[in-house]
Amino acid sequence: MELVTDAVRKPNTEGSTSSIYGMPVDAHHPFYLDLYRKSVQNPVAFWEELGQLLDWDRPWQQVLDNSNSPFTKWYVGGYLNACYNAVDRHILAGRGDQVALIHDSPLTATVRKVTYQELYDQVVLLAGGLAKLGVSKGDRVVIYMPLIPETIIAMLAIVRLGAIHSVVFGGFAARELCSRIEHVEPKLVIAANAGVEPGKVVPYLDILHSAINMSRWKPPQRNIIFMREQVASDILDDKLDVLWSTVQDMADARQPVACVPIEANDPLYILYTSGTTDKPKGVLRTIGGHLVVLMYTLKMIYGIKPGDTWWAASDMGWVVGHSYICYGPLCLGATSVMYEGKPDRTPDPGQYFRIIDHYKVCGIFSVPTSFRVIRRADPEISYGRQYCMKSLRAIFIAGEHCDYETKAWIEKTFKVPVLNHWWQTETGSAITATGLGLKHSLNPPMYSTGLPLMGYDVKVLKKDGTEALPSELGRIVLKLPLPPGNMATLYRNEELYRKLYFQKFPGYYDTMDAGYKDARGYVFVTARDDDVINVAGHRLSTSSLEDAVLRHPDVVDVAVFGVPEPTKGQVPLCLYIPVETCKKTDAKLSAEIIKLIRDIVGPIAAFRLITSVKNLPRTRSGKTMRKAMADFARNERVVLPATIDDASVFSEIRRALQHLGYAMSAPDPIVAKLLD
């Protein structure tokens, strides 16, 4: 039996013998239990009712078609348009003057507020121009733009025509962009001429030209370029490019282009995952079920109502941006914040507080790293103390593990519940959560990612496919059929879709995450399954060890990963970042941390390899690159993704690892963008 060995993670195992899908009926509010039971036992009735959240051009004929599992279909025969539900219907309801988007960019010293009417006006002009260029239902269009309102305008203009967008993160270099262009084969590309980062301008136009030049697929239409004059001035190549404004001028202003209804199981978008090792996979999301789930989850998880101001602190190149910057809040009729800046240095660590105060933000979705950065830069909140947080109801975190110390600091600082939840690019919204609208306890067990959400029958399986006991570590899987909103397939790769997600555990979707459930049904996601360290036959999750390290008051951040050891097979190696005010030597602080681990976890962890660093390698979305560091320590060739925030960190990582006897002959990591 593989048990969770970290003492800080022992869940409450008391419960009732009467349960619903492993959850004691006396442990949770009947409102949630009744909803959950209905969603799993009678999904047709449950989701049929929720389908009414959207406006449909033609009603569905069948709620659920699971005749070709795992290619499940929802709302079969129903026709609708995403742009109509996100924009037009609010205009018709007389809410055109409400602000739809707030773009706050300390990097360009600008603030823009775009009402629903203004959003409509810009979308129909761009859609009209795209139609004149031949973009129509089923066509693919690549978007390569920063976090600006025009990115959402482009997305909505494309789907207005029934076409499919594929947004590529603006931090990607030419080779990454090229690979997506070759795979999607777009009719055209919409891009900005430039992006901006602290201290530098990112030359989007040059990157785009390089990508198309090396691409085997040449888009038949010219690139549409939105010029950010306040960032950079560029001269377009008339053979390759056309101005955004020129395309809008092509539209017939007297005859706004109509929304094209598409079937609920037609594609809405293709979004490429960008993991730290594997080649990108094109997640294909269909329209109907996805929009239903986004509206429902904004209300039931995040507690957001029409007219509220909501801030998903992410980027349009990631799934969070698609779900909760664009489609979710706009379909609901809320106001969505787009913040083009950093938590700490644009220009100071008070920016999150300023945004909340100035725009009366009700809820935030962010990654724990953002708050760790603020805490590290300004632990006493000297910059943020001047702002009022009264509008804020809760902070939601996801994307990476949140340690107890960081969570406690956020709650003390912002004075609202900090609620962890778990989801993936593939699912499009949360699998487990603590929901403000579900009558959940707002004090879930420490480190839990919450309770299963509607339609998700969450299981923890052992290697032999049998179900794990409460508190027993295993692979987290989801029983089929999956609820609406999940990916329909991998674009142009159905074979990989079947093999990757459904082959290992027949009848289930394999999340590839490790974790466990406690006796009350709370889910604990400990790590990606390959982040579990096997020490002399004992499985330890990296996150449990990191939690213990972060209990030390002089540690602000940490990464733990497994490295080879002749006797035990694997042992943990720890790289930590001390607080800036720490006066202790590396040797003294490391010794204190080793003792702390022995006291909390025990000698079973074989925790002895430890040293401090100034920075850790992360992706731009905040995920710590443990596997890259583990491979580097084993002297393997490491190819870093284009999404790495700062590749130069690996120079320091090499010195730290060599100090501990690892990475002695490791070749320098290759950064994807340098391959250009």
Side-chain angles (χ1 to χ4, degrees):
M1 182 181 296
E2 296 164 349
L3 294 175
V4 178
T5 56
D6 182 3
V8 303
R9 287 181 173 276
K10 287 183 179 176
N12 183 343
T13 56
E14 296 178 3
S16 167
T17 56
S18 178
S19 65
I20 296 173
Y21 291 92
M23 294 180 287
V25 295
D26 58 357
H28 307 292
H29 197 285
F31 176 76
Y32 161 72
L33 291 174
D34 289 346
L35 282 176
Y36 180 74
R37 174 168 47 193
K38 183 178 179 181
S39 74
V40 176
Q41 292 182 352
N42 192 356
V44 170
F46 182 84
W47 292 108
E48 182 161 33
E49 181 180 347
L50 290 181
Q52 306 301 327
L53 290 169
L54 298 175
D55 286 1
W56 297 78
D57 288 84
R58 188 188 309 173
W60 56 85
Q61 299 168 349
Q62 184 179 356
V63 176
L64 168 63
D65 178 3
N66 197 36
S67 60
N68 186 28
S69 181
F71 301 96
T72 306
K73 294 183 177 181
W74 292 92
Y75 304 109
V76 180
Y79 280 75
L80 72 166
N81 183 274
C83 182
Y84 182 89
N85 278 278
V87 183
D88 295 50
R89 65 172 176 168
H90 304 310
I91 307 293
L92 295 172
R95 299 176 57 209
D97 290 338
Q98 181 192 316
V99 175
L101 303 172
I102 299 172
H103 179 245
D104 188 298
S105 174
L107 288 168
T108 59
T110 60
V111 173
R112 290 171 60 196
K113 294 183 178 181
V114 182
T115 66
Y116 276 94
Q117 183 65 56
E118 291 166 340
L119 185 60
Y120 171 85
D121 293 341
Q122 292 299 308
V123 167
V124 295
L125 287 177
L126 184 61
L130 289 172
K132 290 290 179 64
L133 293 173
V135 175
S136 61
K137 181 178 178 180
D139 286 337
R140 281 89 56 210
V141 177
V142 164
I143 299 173
Y144 183 60
M145 303 182 78
L147 189 63
I148 56 177
E150 282 71 22
T151 308
I152 289 180
I153 291 168
M155 294 167 68
L156 294 173
I158 291 163
V159 300
R160 189 176 189 86
L161 300 174
I164 306 158
H165 61 70
S166 184
V167 179
V168 178
F169 173 61
F172 279 141
R175 188 167 297 277
E176 297 288 329
L177 177 57
C178 170
S179 70
R180 287 151 175 78
I181 290 172
E182 288 184 338
H183 199 251
V184 170
E185 297 184 347
K187 179 159 282 188
L188 55 83
V189 178
I190 302 177
N193 69 313
V196 59
E197 294 284 341
K200 68 176 181 179
V201 171
V202 183
Y204 281 36
L205 187 59
D206 292 344
I207 294 169
L208 173 60
H209 287 168
S210 296
I212 292 179
N213 184 58
M214 70 176 72
S215 173
R216 294 186 298 270
W217 173 262
K218 307 297 181 186
Q221 291 288 350
R222 289 183 293 172
N223 309 310
I224 299 173
I225 307 300
F226 178 76
M227 296 293 288
R228 301 188 76 189
E229 299 287 357
Q230 79 275 36
V231 175
S233 296
D234 290 282
I235 299 175
L236 300 189
D237 184 334
D238 291 338
K239 294 180 181 178
L240 298 174
D241 312 310
V242 59
L243 277 171
W244 170 288
S245 56
T246 301
V247 174
Q248 287 190 315
D249 289 342
M250 295 177 185
D252 186 349
R254 298 167 300 175
Q255 195 94 29
V257 63
C259 293
V260 176
I262 63 172
E263 207 270 341
N265 296 281
D266 284 340
L268 176 65
Y269 66 76
I270 300 163
L271 180 63
Y272 286 84
T273 64
S274 52
T276 56
T277 55
D278 295 329
K279 291 182 179 179
K281 304 180 292 288
V283 168
L284 187 146
R285 187 100 54 209
T286 54
I287 176 176
H290 183 50
L291 298 186
V292 169
V293 168
L294 294 183
M295 288 192 63
Y296 183 67
T297 52
L298 264 176
K299 290 181 177 181
M300 303 304 280
I301 299 176
Y302 307 111
I304 300 301
K305 307 183 298 295
D308 283 348
T309 300
W310 159 257
W311 179 20
S314 185
D315 190 276
M316 293 313 304
W318 313 127
V319 67
V320 175
H322 284 57
S323 292
Y324 294 116
I325 298 178
C326 180
Y327 289 113
L330 295 183
C331 285
L332 183 64
T335 299
S336 182
V337 174
M338 307 175 75
Y339 174 64
E340 191 180 30
K342 300 292 184 183
D344 61 332
R345 48 198 165 100
T346 53
D348 58 54
Q351 295 309 295
Y352 270 44
F353 303 87
R354 177 183 65 82
I355 294 286
I356 295 165
D357 183 15
H358 284 187
Y359 306 124
K360 305 303 178 224
V361 172
C362 298
I364 297 177
F365 182 148
S366 188
V367 293
T369 292
S370 295
F371 297 101
R372 291 191 192 106
V373 166
I374 297 170
R375 180 187 175 202
R376 181 182 178 187
D378 187 19
E380 302 303 320
I381 317 300
S382 56
Y383 287 94
R385 195 176 295 119
Q386 61 182 299
Y387 299 106
C388 177
M389 301 289 103
K390 288 185 178 179
S391 65
L392 193 63
R393 300 172 193 150
I395 292 174
F396 296 86
I397 51 176
E400 58 168 338
H401 176 71
C402 184
D403 59 279
Y404 172 76
E405 298 300 326
T406 298
K407 181 176 183 289
W409 182 87
I410 302 170
E411 289 179 330
K412 178 183 176 182
T413 300
F414 291 88
K415 297 178 173 57
V416 294
V418 175
L419 303 173
N420 195 5
H421 60 330
W422 167 56
W423 53 303
Q424 301 175 333
T425 298
E426 290 86 347
T427 63
S429 61
I431 303 167
T432 66
T434 297
L436 294 184
L438 292 170
K439 301 187 186 299
H440 286 163
S441 166
L442 299 185
N443 293 292
M446 190 185 301
Y447 307 114
S448 168
T449 60
L451 293 166
L453 290 175
M454 307 313 133
Y456 283 111
D457 188 357
V458 180
K459 306 288 187 185
V460 179
L461 301 183
K462 295 185 283 190
K463 287 183 178 180
D464 62 4
T466 60
E467 194 163 353
L469 297 173
S471 303
E472 187 177 5
L473 193 65
R475 188 81 153 234
I476 305 177
V477 299
L478 312 175
K479 190 174 181 181
L480 300 181
L482 295 176
N486 280 267
M487 63 177 173
T489 187
L490 293 177
Y491 183 58
R492 297 173 63 179
N493 204 338
E494 290 189 355
E495 182 181 352
L496 179 62
Y497 175 71
R498 286 182 183 273
K499 180 179 179 181
L500 191 62
Y501 299 104
F502 306 101
Q503 182 173 288
K504 189 176 181 68
F505 299 102
Y508 296 93
Y509 166 84
D510 183 4
T511 70
M512 289 172 266
D513 280 327
Y516 61 95
K517 292 199 295 184
D518 72 4
R520 290 183 289 167
Y522 280 100
V523 176
F524 297 74
V525 182
T526 57
R528 293 296 287 183
D529 202 38
D530 55 9
D531 282 337
V532 174
I533 304 170
N534 195 319
V535 181
H538 301 283
R539 284 163 56 89
L540 304 171
S541 74
T542 56
S543 56
S544 66
L545 294 170
E546 290 172 1
D547 290 335
V549 173
L550 284 163
R551 285 189 166 198
H552 197 292
D554 290 327
V555 177
V556 73
D557 207 351
V558 63
V560 176
F561 48 91
V563 293
E565 200 272 339
T567 304
K568 299 181 181 293
Q570 258 190 328
V571 292
L573 188 150
C574 173
L575 302 179
Y576 66 90
I577 300 176
V579 296
E580 292 187 1
T581 55
C582 181
K583 304 298 183 185
K584 297 173 183 174
T585 65
D586 184 279
K588 179 173 175 51
L589 182 52
S590 294
E592 291 179 4
I593 295 170
I594 290 171
K595 182 179 184 302
L596 182 67
I597 295 294
R598 289 183 66 87
D599 292 343
I600 295 175
V601 181
I604 189 175
F607 193 92
R608 288 183 289 274
L609 297 172
I610 180 171
T611 191
S612 67
V613 292
K614 293 181 179 178
N615 290 289
L616 291 166
R618 299 188 189 277
T619 64
R620 289 174 184 255
S621 59
K623 294 180 180 178
T624 304
M625 301 176 68
R626 296 183 191 87
K627 189 174 188 308
M629 288 188 284
D631 290 344
F632 192 56
R634 291 194 293 267
N635 298 308
E636 295 180 8
R637 181 176 181 268
V638 175
V639 178
L640 302 174
T643 50
I644 186 169
D645 190 47
D646 182 5
S648 66
V649 169
F650 267 86
S651 296
E652 184 186 7
I653 299 300
R654 177 190 291 279
R655 288 193 293 271
L657 292 175
Q658 290 183 344
H659 172 69
L660 299 172
Y662 289 86
M664 302 306 289
S665 60
D668 288 337
I670 299 173
V671 186
K673 65 182 181 180
L674 295 180
L675 293 173
D676 300 339

